Amino acid sequence: QVQLVELGGGLVQTGGSLTLSCVASGSGFSIGNADWCRWYRQAPGEQREWVASITNADNIAYLDAVKGRFSISRDNAKNVVFLQMNSLKLEDTAVYYCNIGQGRGNYWGQGTQVTVSS
């Protein structure tokens, strides 16, 4: 069974930075074999939205609202996916979720809260 645990959320002031980590575990599971690794977020009262993704071919894409501020990466050896978030804005406040797909598997973490304050 694959488990994803998001770490690194917290409270930060506008303009600050946070780095989220998504630690993947499971017998024989490797993010190096994943089809995609994605980050999503869900703000209060809003639908969950896609934020960033990296594919097994290292194709990277970002939501327009975070381009130039967020950076997705992964460490295959450690089975960790990162989301570096810089120049944070109030509107970045949300619960951030990690999502990894491999074959027929589509795995989600429980989320980590990011709160940006003025």
Side-chain angles (χ1 to χ4, degrees):
Q1 185 175 359
V2 176
Q3 289 188 323
L4 305 181
V5 177
E6 298 95 338
L7 303 170
L11 176 65
V12 64
Q13 290 188 323
T14 53
S17 298
L18 281 176
T19 300
L20 304 184
S21 302
C22 171
V23 182
S25 62
S27 179
F29 182 79
S30 171
I31 63 169
N33 296 323
D35 297 312
W36 74 79
C37 301
R38 297 170 179 161
W39 286 95
Y40 286 78
R41 67 186 181 186
Q42 188 167 18
E46 303 289 334
Q47 290 189 333
R48 191 172 298 188
E49 67 175 353
W50 165 80
V51 174
S53 61
I54 182 169
T55 71
N56 56 3
D58 285 334
N59 293 315
I60 292 174
Y62 297 100
L63 177 71
D64 283 348
V66 307
K67 280 182 181 177
R69 300 188 297 120
F70 289 13
S71 177
I72 187 171
S73 62
R74 64 185 180 196
D75 185 329
N76 292 343
K78 295 183 179 179
N79 255 4
V80 181
V81 184
F82 301 100
L83 185 67
Q84 173 69 43
M85 306 186 295
N86 299 322
S87 302
L88 283 161
K89 303 178 180 181
L90 294 175
E91 52 264 41
D92 294 320
T93 294
V95 178
Y96 283 72
Y97 297 89
C98 178
N99 169 233
I100 296 178
Q102 183 181 49
R104 294 182 178 180
N106 188 3
Y107 310 105
W108 290 87
Q110 292 300 305
T112 185
Q113 176 71 46
V114 172
T115 303
V116 184
S117 65
S118 58

